[in-house]
Amino acid sequence: MKSVEISNMMFRDLISLTSKIYNKTHLADNNLLKNLSKEEEKLHWTLLNEILLQIELTLTDESQQGETFTLDFDILDEAAELGMSIFDLIELLSNYRYELLLAYQETCEENNFHSKDCNRLSNKTIRIFDEAILQTSIKYTMRHENHLSLAEEEILSLSAPIVPIKFKLV
């Protein structure tokens, strides 16, 4: 299958691919990444590298073709702990997906791969990113609901019961 061959070619040097996509996204007019600390930059690069690795494994492993998968972008909640909102993560994942699809297109054109094979690879990649966005959203929602529940419990524990007091007039 040609799409596996294209995948192997694309992901041959994962570090370079990660850097290329990260830098294109970072250098674009993208307010999400402009004022990151070095720690945050490293985190985003690492998260991108991890998702690209998972995509590579899913696309190149013949035994996983057609299987369902679960992929969460911020597995350890590191971006969440740094205060990144779910909206920002979704936008970032969309930008990473866009840059990866452009890289596919360049590779396909440079190597005269059949458009059908390139489209198949792109469609699989879109499904993988969609799953990452979905799983990340579910996890963020669960995390948010847990925080709300804990806050509600704390508010209830701090509230004083109202006890009516009767005064006897003498």
Side-chain angles (χ1 to χ4, degrees):
M1 178 178 264
K2 281 280 194 183
S3 59
V4 173
E5 183 182 332
I6 299 168
S7 297
N8 287 332
M9 183 179 290
M10 281 297 304
F11 293 98
R12 184 176 301 132
D13 185 358
L14 187 61
I15 301 297
S16 294
L17 180 62
T18 302
S19 294
K20 177 182 177 180
I21 291 171
Y22 180 82
N23 289 333
K24 281 188 168 189
T25 304
H26 187 77
L27 296 174
D29 185 23
N30 187 337
N31 291 331
L32 292 174
L33 301 173
K34 285 198 182 211
N35 298 314
L36 295 178
S37 68
K38 292 293 181 194
E39 177 188 358
E40 291 169 324
E41 284 182 10
K42 183 178 180 190
L43 169 64
H44 286 288
W45 191 94
T46 303
L47 290 173
L48 173 60
N49 186 258
E50 183 61 31
I51 196 169
L52 292 176
L53 176 62
Q54 293 304 315
I55 290 169
E56 174 191 17
L57 294 174
T58 302
L59 294 175
T60 58
D61 185 353
E62 297 276 346
S63 67
Q64 289 191 13
Q65 300 299 318
E67 285 190 26
T68 58
F69 46 86
T70 301
L71 181 60
D72 177 10
F73 181 63
D74 189 18
I75 295 169
L76 301 176
D77 283 338
E78 293 171 286
E81 292 297 326
L82 290 172
M84 189 169 210
S85 74
I86 185 61
F87 304 109
D88 290 342
L89 270 179
I90 290 170
E91 183 179 348
L92 192 59
L93 281 167
S94 296
N95 291 340
Y96 289 157
R97 174 178 55 197
Y98 176 76
E99 292 299 335
L100 180 58
L101 294 175
L102 285 179
Y104 285 169
Q105 185 177 4
E106 288 173 14
T107 300
C108 286
E109 288 172 0
E110 289 171 2
N111 295 285
N112 294 319
F113 287 118
H114 194 277
S115 62
K116 190 177 194 178
D117 296 317
C118 295
N119 288 338
R120 188 176 298 121
L121 181 66
S122 293
N123 289 336
K124 287 179 185 178
T125 300
I126 290 168
R127 279 189 39 239
I128 292 168
F129 267 99
D130 286 350
E131 181 65 21
I133 289 169
L134 175 65
Q135 292 305 321
T136 302
S137 297
I138 289 169
K139 190 165 130 192
Y140 259 67
T141 300
M142 289 173 40
R143 185 174 191 265
H144 179 70
E145 288 173 356
N146 187 39
H147 284 331
L148 287 176
S149 178
L150 291 173
E152 183 180 357
E153 287 175 20
E154 188 171 331
I155 288 170
L156 289 174
S157 73
L158 293 175
S159 64
I162 299 175
V163 178
I165 301 175
K166 292 185 179 183
F167 289 99
K168 237 181 181 180
L169 294 174
V170 194

